[in-house]
Amino acid sequence: MLKNNFYLEIFIDGIMYVIIVYDVNVLRVNKIKSFLRKHLNWVQNSVFEGEVTKAEFERIKDGISRIIDEDEDSVIIYKFPLDFVPKREILGVEKNPIDDII
């Protein structure tokens, strides 16, 4: 029951923050990267993040499902309510600086 309540809280005001991490076959890397760049901010290799509406989130999940091979590839989606403010700590080179995460 707690899972369902948390899921509903994420979409307060219809927007949430997501971080998507992927490990896909080299044959699909450019496809998934190009697709995610249309919806989210590129952070570094295989990592995207940003604010999305519920409808956009569903489009992203659908698009990822169409690109990946579920028997070979892995995509992890972290979902956060907008009132959650993640703290970013960079070790080494920051590949794509973002002034404001949210």
Side-chain angles (χ1 to χ4, degrees):
M1 188 65 161
L2 182 59
K3 277 186 173 180
N4 290 339
N5 288 341
F6 181 71
Y7 185 76
L8 292 174
E9 289 176 17
I10 287 174
F11 285 111
I12 292 175
D13 295 329
I15 299 174
M16 70 174 170
Y17 193 82
V18 297
I19 298 172
I20 297 181
V21 180
Y22 61 89
D23 182 4
V24 300
N25 184 292
V26 68
L27 299 172
R28 290 178 288 281
V29 168
N30 287 333
K31 286 181 185 177
I32 196 142
K33 182 172 59 173
S34 295
F35 172 76
L36 289 172
R37 280 190 175 183
K38 295 175 187 174
H39 301 279
L40 299 166
N41 299 310
W42 178 79
V43 178
Q44 66 180 40
N45 295 346
S46 304
V47 181
F48 284 81
E49 64 183 35
E51 294 179 9
V52 294
T53 64
K54 185 173 183 176
E56 187 172 20
F57 178 69
E58 294 302 324
R59 282 192 300 272
I60 290 169
K61 284 194 332 184
D62 183 58
I64 290 171
S65 293
R66 291 172 190 267
I67 295 169
I68 68 169
D69 177 342
E70 290 186 359
D71 294 326
E72 184 177 1
D73 302 327
S74 174
V75 177
I76 300 171
I77 302 172
Y78 297 95
K79 302 177 284 189
F80 305 97
L82 279 183
D83 59 356
F84 172 82
V85 180
K87 302 295 182 197
R88 179 186 295 192
E89 184 174 337
I90 309 296
L91 303 176
V93 177
E94 186 172 10
K95 302 268 184 156
N96 189 29
I98 298 173
D99 293 335
D100 267 333
I101 293 177
I102 296 180

